Amino acid sequence: QSGLYRRSLYTYWKRTAPAPVMMTFDAAKRDVCAVKRERTASPLQSLVLMNDPQLLEAARTLAQRLLKEHPEDIGAALGLSQVEIRLAGFGPRVIPEVAVGGFATDRTVNLAFDLNAEVPDEFRRGWTEQLLAHELHHVARLRALGNPRSVGELITFEGMADRFAIDFGARTVSPWSGALAGPDLASWVDRILDEHPQRDYDVNAWLFGTTPEIPRWTGYSAGYAITGEYLTLTGRSAAAAAGDHANVIIEGVRDAR
């Protein structure tokens, strides 16, 4: 263990041969001047991010720090226990705009980081906190209701999680929840209110815009809007509504219109 941290502090660096990890991420040689650092993306970089002990330790320490600073907030709000948090240096679910991504099961939260992204530490930390809160709400909802089976359940599943992240102290609405606005958002919300029982739906289309018909992040934006209306009508918090079924949420919004 001590050797791991010692290697993270001292690296033998020859003038014309940087450390292998540095070379993987395009570190400049020290025998010439570099006006601008090159940026590349290679499979080898992904392997380093997923397997290098020092990078994984940095990600693990960041998550421990967040949980140490805010243990009572999430635990008390959602009543969660025995949740395993798994970290990876890179993954397909990383959201490029925030350099972090994740997904959850009823027992685990999986976070992945783009450690090669050139973003400020405070920016990375803020979005890690926001995604952690988002995914922990997923855990609570999965335990209460199981996996989403209809488009309405999917939409409210995502929207309520982002509402909880805001309640938990998120600095700003996420880019996915704020992707649509105005008449465009209203038309998609109306469509979901009508079609919410549909079970034959494409998750990737609704969330990530993999078909031309549905813009990227439509499901997130519509879910955020619908759950916001529901929470305003009922006066409940997103944590308290973690077990509220999608039918209750959507019918409550429809009846109030």
Side-chain angles (χ1 to χ4, degrees):
Q1 188 80 352
S2 62
L4 169 65
Y5 298 113
R6 181 170 294 124
R7 285 194 297 274
S8 69
L9 293 174
Y10 303 100
T11 299
Y12 188 64
W13 189 349
K14 294 182 179 180
R15 177 168 301 201
T16 59
V21 171
M22 296 180 180
M23 293 179 66
T24 303
F25 291 98
D26 308 313
K29 295 181 180 180
R30 304 178 78 181
D31 59 341
V32 295
C33 294
V35 177
K36 184 178 181 181
R37 185 169 174 173
E38 295 181 1
R39 294 189 64 183
T40 62
S42 71
L44 187 58
Q45 291 173 352
S46 300
L47 288 173
V48 172
L49 290 172
M50 289 189 290
N51 295 283
D52 186 280
Q54 297 173 29
L55 297 177
L56 292 178
E57 279 293 299
R60 180 185 65 80
T61 302
L62 174 61
Q64 284 185 334
R65 176 179 171 186
L66 295 176
L67 291 175
K68 183 178 180 180
E69 292 178 357
H70 308 285
E72 69 288 344
D73 299 328
I74 296 178
L78 295 175
L80 291 176
S81 62
Q82 297 181 336
V83 179
E84 180 182 357
I85 297 179
R86 300 174 180 174
L87 307 171
F90 186 77
R93 293 179 182 265
V94 170
I95 304 165
E97 287 82 355
V98 298
V100 62
F103 68 96
T105 70
D106 62 349
R107 296 187 177 275
T108 66
V109 168
N110 302 268
L111 296 178
F113 304 88
D114 180 0
L115 301 179
N116 197 33
E118 296 181 0
V119 296
D121 291 342
E122 187 63 24
F123 178 90
R124 190 187 301 276
R125 181 185 176 193
W127 282 108
T128 301
E129 291 179 356
Q130 193 157 337
L131 263 293
L132 179 60
H134 181 104
E135 298 302 336
L136 284 169
H137 192 277
H138 280 345
V139 174
R141 198 159 175 83
L142 286 168
R143 290 182 179 181
L145 301 170
N147 290 314
R149 291 166 292 180
S150 68
V151 66
E153 291 176 20
L154 173 71
I155 299 308
T156 54
F157 181 79
E158 296 296 344
M160 197 66 78
D162 248 20
R163 289 287 172 185
F164 176 73
I166 292 294
D167 291 347
F168 181 66
R171 296 176 178 84
T172 183
V173 176
S174 67
W176 45 93
S177 286
L180 299 180
D184 288 341
L185 175 61
S187 65
W188 284 106
V189 167
D190 290 342
R191 175 174 169 178
I192 290 169
L193 293 177
D194 291 335
E195 300 179 5
H196 73 91
Q198 179 183 345
R199 297 199 175 197
D200 182 18
Y201 67 95
D202 186 339
V203 174
N204 290 324
W206 278 105
L207 299 185
F208 308 118
T210 54
T211 62
E213 179 191 2
I214 304 177
R216 184 187 183 206
W217 290 340
T218 293
Y220 291 110
S221 295
Y224 189 77
I226 291 170
T227 54
E229 287 190 47
Y230 174 76
L231 295 177
T232 300
L233 288 169
T234 60
R236 291 161 63 79
S237 68
D244 291 5
H245 196 277
N247 291 344
V248 174
I249 296 171
I250 291 175
E251 292 302 329
V253 170
R254 291 181 63 179
D255 292 345
R257 290 191 165 199

